[in-house]
Amino acid sequence: MQPRTPLVLCVLLSVLLLTSAEDLDCTPGFQQKVFRIHQPAEFIEDQSILKLTFSDCKGNDKLRYEVSSPHFRVNSDGSLVALRNITAVGRTLFVHARTPHAEDMAELMIIGGKDIQGSLQDIFKFARTSPVPRQKRSIVVSPILIPENQRQPFPRDVGKVVDSDRPEGSKFRLTGKGVDQEPKGIFRINENTGSVSVTRTLDREVMATYQLFVETADVNGKTLEGPVPLEIIVIDQNDNRPTFREGPYVGHVMEGSPTGTTVMRMTAFDADDPATDNALLRYNIRQQTPDKPSPNMFYIDPEKGDIVTVVSPALLDRETLENPKYELIIEAQDMAGLDVGLTATATATIVIDDKNDHSPKFTKKEFQATVEEGAVGVIVNLTVEDKDDPATGAWRAAYTIINGNPGQSFEIHTNPQTNEGMLSVVKPLDYEISAFHTLLIKVENEDPLVPDVSYGPSSTATVHITVRDVNEGPVFSPDPMMVTKRENISVGSVLLTANATAPDSLQHQTIRYSVYKDPAGWLNINPINGTVDTTAVLDRESPFVHNSVYTALFLAIDSGNPPATGTGTLLITLEDVNDNAPFIYPTVAEVCDDAKNLSVVILGATDKDLHPNTDPFKFEIHKPTVPDRVWKISKINNTHALVSLLQNLNKANYNLPIMVTDSGKPPMTNVTDLRVQVCSCKNSKVDCNAAGALRWSLSPVLLLWLFSLACL
């Protein structure tokens, strides 16, 4: 029977205890778990610091050592060698040893070292400098440490659970995530010996710790003791390169910025354990393009990743740079920047932004322009130079006319593509008033200048404008010409005398007149003196007259070379004269020969003249030709009257003369025959054949009568 093992001597691959072998012939692992190393007086490369003793109890075949710091190595005989001054390494490192039969971890504490990074002791959350105290329970477990990325063979033992009071026939049982919960099957336990083994490669970046539970059970599966927590910690390896996740990286810095100005920050991510050097990143600039005026225009903080300017403000001048855009290849390296660290690169684009440190300057002090009188539009483009960035308000020009434009005849605008000032005439110029104009124009930027730069005399220019005389057309005065006349004035009546003058007063020109548009052909104009008279009777009721106004156009032609023409408008307002007699409607009516209602028709009257030469109208039967006791006409209102019979008539056609008179002074009268057809009306049928008349229906007469009443 195997001797009983004290709790303080539990053998685990990852337990970091000061062990005793009193009760065991051989304990696999390091014979000493914790070492304290005092810094030497001087650093000697490849000098052995201490000797580690590891045994797998089976001859140490294929023994391999791994050190958590790249600044050390362990030779095959267990000699620990420092590759650099250990005072700059840190306070704690770990040595992992393994053979096909066993593996273990030893902790090395450097006395006087810098606290560069948190030790694995902080991660494991237990001290390895003292023995594990005996628990009241009989199941003894300690955290198991397993390096990630282990290679075949699998499964391999990684630790052991001890139960000093386990009844004979009982078995160990392991549960938790990684055993019977997803991800299943990673760990298992030998139910008889308590050996814990791993079945596959672990990845710390997928899962850094596993919380398992150990218990013992009898042959029937009943739990005897437990569950007791078992923590498995995956030790990080530097198996992840840094990555730049947030690109593209673009930074801006104003030209002339002081040395040390922060441009941007570049940060990378490393998936390895942030508590180890595996994820401790350092940054540097691998390449700068272009490399002028200095190959070292920028510096990057190796720890923070801040990119700052390192050249003087004078060199950071956008206008003198070959290219105002720089591309930096930034490298991030883990393992605190050591050569053994993994790297990643990204491109940082830095744009030197423009500030308005150059005022615009005219390319010439004086500009010349010529414009014809009466013309409008752009007459000259004023050119300027500006060294600032064309894409900014520091380059875009704003022009102002500061003198020589009292009549606001000129305006100036900026061409957005060329930055030129487009000087335009917006009010026609008159050669006879002024043949020359002189403008003083200044140019500024849209953005204000920086305080140490000002606008100089080259930011103003003079524009000399010559107005060229042209033969302008004569101008009628007034235009339009207006006159009021009664219609029907006698032919040859003088309406007015047109007056046109030539603006070119210095040329002493003569003017001739002619008719341009006379729709009704009523007018004539004297070509010499412009007298307008009538050639026909003016009629207000003519279709060429609108709202009692007749419109005609006349031409005035000067004697210039070539001749110029001006157009004048004549508006004749025609006063109404009672020259139109009224007329009646309708002129045909029907009535039944046996009608009980002897009303024949409602008559209406209209007149082309205007009030008071129209209604009220007087309706009468022209009696000299009509029997007195047959027909009757009665007034309804000022414009309508009712014609009715005094007795029934035989079927026949009757002409009834109706006389209607307007209210003009003197009045005008019109006599119109109303044709009345007396028809046979039986069984709702109207028969006018016997009367020798057309078939006129009563329905239109009744509808007309109703319409006439609605208009009263």
Side-chain angles (χ1 to χ4, degrees), residues 412-429:
I412 187 166
H413 300 281
T414 304
N415 185 320
Q417 280 74 41
T418 64
N419 219 26
E420 295 177 344
M422 301 181 295
L423 181 63
S424 303
V425 176
V426 293
K427 293 182 180 179
L429 303 177

Side-chain angles (χ1 to χ4, degrees), residues 196-412:
V196 178
S197 59
V198 63
T199 64
R200 67 187 76 160
T201 299
L202 301 182
D203 187 349
R204 191 206 67 86
E205 286 70 48
V206 175
M207 185 170 293
T209 61
Y210 295 85
Q211 300 296 329
L212 307 181
F213 297 92
V214 179
E215 60 185 12
T216 57
D218 59 18
V219 293
N220 296 320
K222 180 180 179 181
T223 300
L224 298 176
E225 185 177 355
V228 176
L230 169 61
E231 183 178 30
I232 295 181
I233 300 170
V234 183
I235 300 175
D236 185 46
Q237 290 186 343
N238 192 21
D239 59 345
N240 288 277
R241 290 183 178 274
T243 58
F244 288 93
R245 292 179 168 182
E246 301 174 357
Y249 297 92
V250 180
H252 293 263
V253 61
M254 189 70 69
E255 63 172 329
S257 295
T259 302
T261 299
T262 300
V263 180
M264 60 190 298
R265 172 170 286 187
M266 295 280 289
T267 55
F269 170 79
D270 196 308
D272 290 319
D273 188 351
T276 68
D277 284 354
N278 295 339
L280 183 59
L281 303 182
R282 293 294 182 263
Y283 301 93
N284 70 88
I285 300 175
R286 293 285 301 274
Q287 181 180 329
Q288 171 190 302
T289 306
D291 59 359
K292 294 183 174 52
S294 168
N296 300 303
M297 298 285 290
F298 306 95
Y299 165 79
I300 188 168
D301 186 304
E303 296 184 3
K304 297 180 180 178
D306 289 337
I307 300 176
V308 299
T309 62
V310 293
V311 294
S312 66
L315 287 181
L316 207 63
D317 185 358
R318 195 199 66 84
E319 286 74 37
T320 61
L321 295 176
E322 178 182 331
N323 188 340
K325 182 186 294 185
Y326 288 86
E327 289 191 350
L328 307 180
I329 304 299
I330 305 298
E331 179 184 70
Q333 187 171 28
D334 59 20
M335 298 302 295
L338 295 178
D339 292 341
V340 296
L342 302 177
T343 63
T345 60
T347 300
T349 301
I350 299 178
V351 180
I352 312 301
D353 289 335
D354 186 42
K355 64 181 179 181
N356 196 9
D357 55 352
H358 295 86
S359 62
K361 298 178 180 180
F362 282 103
T363 57
K364 296 187 296 183
K365 290 299 296 179
E366 294 185 348
F367 294 85
Q368 305 292 331
T370 301
V371 59
E372 292 185 350
E373 66 171 330
V376 294
V378 178
I379 58 174
V380 66
N381 289 323
L382 310 181
T383 54
V384 295
E385 293 178 343
D386 196 317
K387 295 181 180 179
D388 292 314
D389 186 356
T392 66
W395 176 81
R396 291 190 291 270
Y399 297 86
T400 306
I401 302 173
I402 59 177
N403 196 12
N405 191 28
Q408 305 302 310
S409 298
F410 302 93
E411 286 184 358
I412 187 166

Side-chain angles (χ1 to χ4, degrees), residues 340-586:
V340 296
L342 302 177
T343 63
T345 60
T347 300
T349 301
I350 299 178
V351 180
I352 312 301
D353 289 335
D354 186 42
K355 64 181 179 181
N356 196 9
D357 55 352
H358 295 86
S359 62
K361 298 178 180 180
F362 282 103
T363 57
K364 296 187 296 183
K365 290 299 296 179
E366 294 185 348
F367 294 85
Q368 305 292 331
T370 301
V371 59
E372 292 185 350
E373 66 171 330
V376 294
V378 178
I379 58 174
V380 66
N381 289 323
L382 310 181
T383 54
V384 295
E385 293 178 343
D386 196 317
K387 295 181 180 179
D388 292 314
D389 186 356
T392 66
W395 176 81
R396 291 190 291 270
Y399 297 86
T400 306
I401 302 173
I402 59 177
N403 196 12
N405 191 28
Q408 305 302 310
S409 298
F410 302 93
E411 286 184 358
I412 187 166
H413 300 281
T414 304
N415 185 320
Q417 280 74 41
T418 64
N419 219 26
E420 295 177 344
M422 301 181 295
L423 181 63
S424 303
V425 176
V426 293
K427 293 182 180 179
L429 303 177
D430 192 337
Y431 172 84
E432 284 70 32
I433 295 177
S434 177
F436 301 96
H437 296 268
T438 301
L439 304 181
L440 183 61
I441 296 176
K442 72 174 181 179
V443 61
E444 299 173 312
N445 287 130
E446 290 184 1
D447 292 348
L449 293 173
V450 296
D452 55 340
V453 177
S454 61
Y455 292 104
S458 58
S459 295
T460 60
T462 302
V463 182
H464 299 286
I465 302 168
T466 300
V467 182
R468 189 162 54 205
D469 187 26
V470 297
N471 187 21
E472 301 171 84
V475 178
F476 283 86
S477 179
D479 189 26
M481 302 167 281
M482 293 183 288
V483 65
T484 300
K485 297 293 181 180
R486 290 173 61 87
E487 64 174 333
N488 295 339
I489 60 174
S490 59
V491 176
S493 297
V494 176
L495 301 180
L496 82 165
T497 299
N499 180 35
T501 57
D504 305 290
S505 57
L506 300 179
Q507 298 184 20
H508 306 289
Q509 298 174 343
T510 59
I511 295 177
R512 294 182 62 84
Y513 299 93
S514 64
V515 177
Y516 179 43
K517 285 187 179 180
D518 179 17
W522 291 343
L523 306 176
N524 175 63
I525 188 170
N526 187 297
I528 305 300
N529 60 25
T531 300
V532 179
D533 56 13
T534 62
T535 59
V537 176
L538 307 184
D539 184 5
R540 193 199 65 83
E541 290 75 36
S542 167
F544 299 106
V545 177
H546 302 284
N547 296 324
S548 300
V549 177
Y550 180 70
T551 301
L553 300 179
F554 298 97
L555 298 179
I557 306 170
D558 64 20
S559 57
N561 186 18
T565 301
T567 303
T569 301
L570 173 60
L571 302 178
I572 305 174
T573 300
L574 297 175
E575 296 179 342
D576 187 42
V577 174
N578 193 18
D579 57 349
N580 289 278
F583 55 90
I584 65 168
Y585 60 88

